[in-house]
């Protein structure tokens, strides 16, 4: 790299930060970090009708949660209106843009006629200045839009860093609007000025923007600016090969936080959606930055697997710092109104389950069994807490209450003695005991959960 790398993430605050946007942000961030460059955050908020403060906050929160720190910004397009208008005036003066007074009715009629002839709908250039051309008279009271004077000859081409060489004939591009009749600039124009002013060297974005790229390149060249390099990431599909939707996991990044995914696990998983480093599946954020470059991104579509994400998250939970897990689980239990300080040692509870769960929400659900009043589903009670089973549990309760020391070995011995007394096998006593103590059929080692619950709570729940 001969110049300082400058990438950008430019979301529109019309919705939450979803998986696709998060991957784009991650790759842009990682590319800048890998090359010692700068990562710029830009908020494209010119769609005033649909942009909301809540969506803007959700995007910023999602970025922060993922740990995608920006070096510059956030910059807001609505605060740069004067700059856009200044450039538009320069283009009008240079003849690379012009006023167009075509009415909506005229455009609708033009489109209908073109479609009737099975032609591609496009502006016909009726207000485009040309040598020797007489323009129509300006309609009274009409407010013009401003159109870019797109070249009509040749091709616009670029070497996409993901998709390879792409060429589009200029004849396929019409003179698109760069400023509406009310003076507000359009998306394709604002993006160009922003990338130019901010010195963006690589634009990494979804391939739904490929069709915008030739227009943006032509505007940059009309301004005398060198276009950045472009890298268009292929779409993320669901496991069924269809467009990613909410049922596949295309929800707000912050919902993953609520559901108990660790940000490093989500980053690790997103990194593998379209990028790879050999067969590596499980790697740190630092290692990802060290390895990442655009030449390892595949142009083929990636597939999102909710199960793979859960598996990866489980690995991160097992490897996580214990204090980190305790803090999160304690917060989740507190949110349910459960007083952790009045129950068993939370560290012991977390240690029981951290190897058995896929999310922090599952870990909190399991931990809640030790602090919330035991609620036994009627179906489980009918199946497991029969009169004979209750008699066995009463016998066990007596033995547990008489133990001089509340230790796992002693608890296990009391269970063994009760089994022998009643001629039972382990499942015949362990499952009713789990149901009576926790309202569930499965837990970790029965003596471990009984010991962790504590003598007082165990005897109270058996009573």
């Amino acid at each position: 790299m001969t110049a300082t790398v400058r990438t950008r993430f430019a979301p529109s605050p019309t919705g939450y930060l979803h998986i696709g946007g998060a991957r784009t942000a991650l790759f842009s961030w990682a590319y800048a970090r890998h090359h010692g460059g700068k990562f710029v955050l830009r908020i494209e908020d010119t769609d005033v009708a649909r942009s909301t403060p809540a969506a803007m906050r959700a995007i910023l929160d999602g970025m922060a949660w993922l740990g995608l720190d920006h070096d510059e910004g956030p910059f807001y397009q609505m605060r740069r209106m004067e700059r856009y208008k200044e450039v538009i005036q320069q283009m009008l003066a240079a003849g690379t843009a012009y006023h167009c007074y075509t009415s909506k009715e005229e455009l609708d009629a033009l489109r209908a006629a073109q479609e009737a002839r099975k032609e591609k709908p496009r502006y016909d250039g009726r207000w485009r200045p040309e040598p020797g051309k007489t323009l129509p008279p300006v309609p009274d009271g009409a407010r013009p839009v401003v159109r870019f004077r797109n070249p009509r000859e040749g091709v616009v081409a670029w070497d996409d860093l993901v998709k390879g060489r792409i060429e589009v004939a200029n004849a396929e591009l019409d003179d698109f609007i760069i400023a509406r009749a009310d003076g507000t600039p359009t998306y394709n124009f604002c993006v160009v000025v922003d990338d130019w002013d901010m010195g963006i060297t690589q634009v990494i974005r979804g391939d739904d923007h490929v069709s915008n790229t030739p227009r943006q390149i032509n505007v940059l060249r009309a301004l005398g600016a060198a276009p950045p390099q472009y890298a268009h990431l292929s779409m993320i599909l669901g496991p069924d090969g269809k467009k990613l939707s909410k049922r596949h996991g295309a929800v707000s990044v912050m919902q993953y936080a609520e559901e108990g995914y660790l940000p490093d696990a989500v980053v690790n998983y997103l990194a593998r959606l379209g990028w790879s480093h050999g067969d590596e599946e499980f790697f740190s954020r630092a290692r990802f930055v060290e390895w990442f470059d655009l030449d390892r991104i595949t142009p083929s579509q990636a597939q999102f697997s909710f199960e793979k994400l859960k598996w990866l998250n489980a690995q991160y939970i097992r490897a996580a710092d214990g204090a980190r897990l305790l803090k999160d689980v304690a917060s989740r239990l507190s949110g349910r109104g459960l007083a952790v300080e009045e129950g068993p040692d939370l560290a012991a509870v977390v240690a029981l389950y951290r190897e058995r769960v896929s999310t922090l929400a599952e870990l909190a659900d399991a931990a809640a069994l030790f602090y919330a009043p035991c609620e036994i589903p009627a179906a489980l009670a009918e199946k497991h807490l029969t009169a004979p089973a209750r008699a066995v549990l009463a016998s066990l309760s007596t033995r547990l209450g008489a133990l001089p020391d509340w230790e796992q070995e002693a608890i296990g011995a009391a269970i063994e003695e009760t089994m022998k007394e009643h001629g039972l096998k382990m499942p015949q006593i362990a499952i009713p005991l789990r149901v009576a103590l926790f309202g569930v059929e499965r837990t970790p080692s029965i003596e471990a959960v009984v010991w962790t619950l504590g003598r007082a709570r165990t005897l109270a729940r058996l009573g």
Side-chain angles (χ1 to χ4, degrees):
M1 292 290 166
T2 57
T4 300
V5 164
R6 291 178 61 83
T7 65
R8 48 81 158 176
F9 179 53
S12 174
T14 56
Y16 48 71
L17 178 64
H18 54 74
I19 285 295
R23 183 189 64 166
T24 298
L26 173 63
F27 284 9
S28 299
W29 172 86
Y31 189 78
R33 294 288 173 266
H34 177 79
H35 290 287
K38 299 294 184 181
F39 176 55
V40 178
L41 178 59
R42 191 168 77 218
I43 306 297
E44 297 184 344
D45 57 347
T46 55
D47 189 345
V48 178
R50 297 174 58 223
S51 297
T52 67
M56 198 173 302
R57 185 73 260 161
I59 290 170
L60 296 177
D61 288 347
M63 295 280 288
W65 183 71
L66 289 170
L68 305 182
D69 54 316
H70 49 277
D71 302 297
E72 298 176 18
F75 299 107
Y76 297 88
Q77 286 185 331
M78 286 302 294
R79 301 177 188 176
R80 289 174 45 78
M81 286 294 120
E82 291 307 311
R83 170 58 177 160
Y84 303 139
K85 293 176 181 179
E86 174 190 8
V87 176
I88 287 172
Q89 290 303 313
Q90 292 171 358
M91 294 178 70
L92 287 168
T96 55
Y98 61 92
H99 287 117
C100 172
Y101 294 87
T102 310
S103 68
K104 180 181 182 303
E105 292 74 20
E106 289 175 313
L107 288 174
D108 289 343
L110 174 63
R111 176 182 290 270
Q114 290 170 333
E115 290 177 346
R117 296 192 298 268
K118 297 184 179 180
E119 297 175 355
K120 179 181 177 180
R122 54 189 294 113
Y123 175 65
D124 62 2
R126 63 185 63 180
W127 285 93
R128 178 184 172 114
E130 300 287 2
K133 177 180 178 180
T134 301
L135 298 177
V138 175
D140 292 337
R143 300 173 66 189
V145 299
V146 178
R147 290 184 181 271
F148 172 60
R149 196 170 187 272
N150 194 77
R152 286 185 166 173
E153 305 297 329
V155 298
V156 55
W158 73 97
D159 292 310
D160 196 279
L161 297 176
V162 173
K163 296 183 175 298
R165 184 74 172 179
I166 298 177
E167 297 184 358
V168 178
N170 278 317
E172 293 294 313
L173 307 173
D174 61 0
D175 293 355
F176 67 96
I177 296 172
I178 61 174
R180 303 176 184 90
D182 63 1
T184 59
T186 59
Y187 165 79
N188 268 319
F189 180 74
C190 295
V191 168
V192 166
V193 177
D194 289 340
D195 287 343
W196 181 32
D197 285 355
M198 296 173 191
I200 301 303
T201 55
Q202 284 79 26
V203 172
I204 302 168
R205 59 188 180 186
D207 63 3
D208 54 326
H209 288 283
V210 168
S211 61
N212 293 325
T213 303
R215 294 176 171 83
Q216 294 173 9
I217 290 175
N218 279 342
V219 174
L220 281 164
R221 287 175 175 162
L223 292 170
Q229 293 179 301
Y230 292 91
H232 289 95
L233 310 177
S234 294
M235 183 183 299
I236 300 174
L237 303 178
D240 56 3
K242 296 180 180 179
K243 184 179 178 180
L244 196 64
S245 64
K246 289 184 179 180
R247 64 188 175 89
H248 296 127
V251 295
S252 168
V253 163
M254 295 311 295
Q255 185 168 328
Y256 286 96
E258 294 169 10
E259 293 177 359
Y261 289 86
L262 295 172
D264 282 346
V266 176
V267 165
N268 191 158
Y269 183 70
L270 288 176
R272 294 284 287 124
L273 287 178
W275 172 89
S276 64
H277 183 83
D279 295 325
E280 298 288 344
E281 293 278 359
F282 187 75
F283 43 80
S284 68
R285 186 184 301 251
R287 185 57 57 85
F288 171 55
V289 168
E290 176 188 341
W291 289 339
F292 184 79
D293 218 333
L294 297 175
D295 59 359
R296 290 186 175 272
I297 295 177
T298 174
S300 58
Q301 294 168 325
Q303 284 195 309
F304 181 88
S305 169
F306 194 70
E307 291 306 312
K308 187 65 174 288
L309 174 58
K310 288 189 72 172
W311 172 84
L312 193 60
N313 197 59
Q315 313 312 307
Y316 272 87
I317 288 176
R318 292 173 185 176
D321 175 70
R324 159 78 173 85
L325 297 181
L326 283 179
K327 182 179 179 181
D328 187 282
V329 173
S331 175
R332 291 174 186 270
L333 294 180
S334 176
R336 303 183 190 189
L338 299 177
V340 175
E341 64 277 4
E342 297 177 7
D345 176 32
L346 183 58
V349 175
V350 167
L352 280 175
Y353 286 93
R354 66 182 296 169
E355 300 282 332
R356 302 166 64 96
V357 300
S358 298
T359 69
L360 295 177
E362 291 176 5
L363 185 55
D365 287 343
L369 299 175
F370 291 79
Y371 302 94
C374 181
E375 296 181 0
I376 304 173
L380 292 185
E382 182 180 355
K383 181 179 179 181
H384 297 293
L385 299 183
T386 61
R390 290 183 182 277
V392 172
L393 295 180
S395 175
L396 174 61
S397 181
T398 299
R399 282 190 170 88
L400 293 175
L403 291 177
D405 297 304
W406 192 255
E407 297 176 347
Q408 286 195 45
E409 185 176 347
I411 293 168
I415 293 173
E416 290 281 353
E417 291 169 6
T418 306
M419 285 169 50
K420 291 178 181 178
E421 177 187 352
H422 293 273
L424 303 174
K425 294 182 179 179
M426 179 58 79
Q428 293 173 298
I429 187 171
I431 295 178
L433 181 56
R434 289 183 173 104
V435 172
L437 294 180
F438 302 103
V440 298
E441 294 176 302
R442 297 178 182 177
T443 68
S445 163
I446 188 63
E447 57 264 33
V449 294
V450 171
W451 174 78
T452 303
L453 183 62
R455 185 196 301 265
R457 290 194 178 216
T458 297
L459 298 180
R461 293 185 183 189
L462 288 177

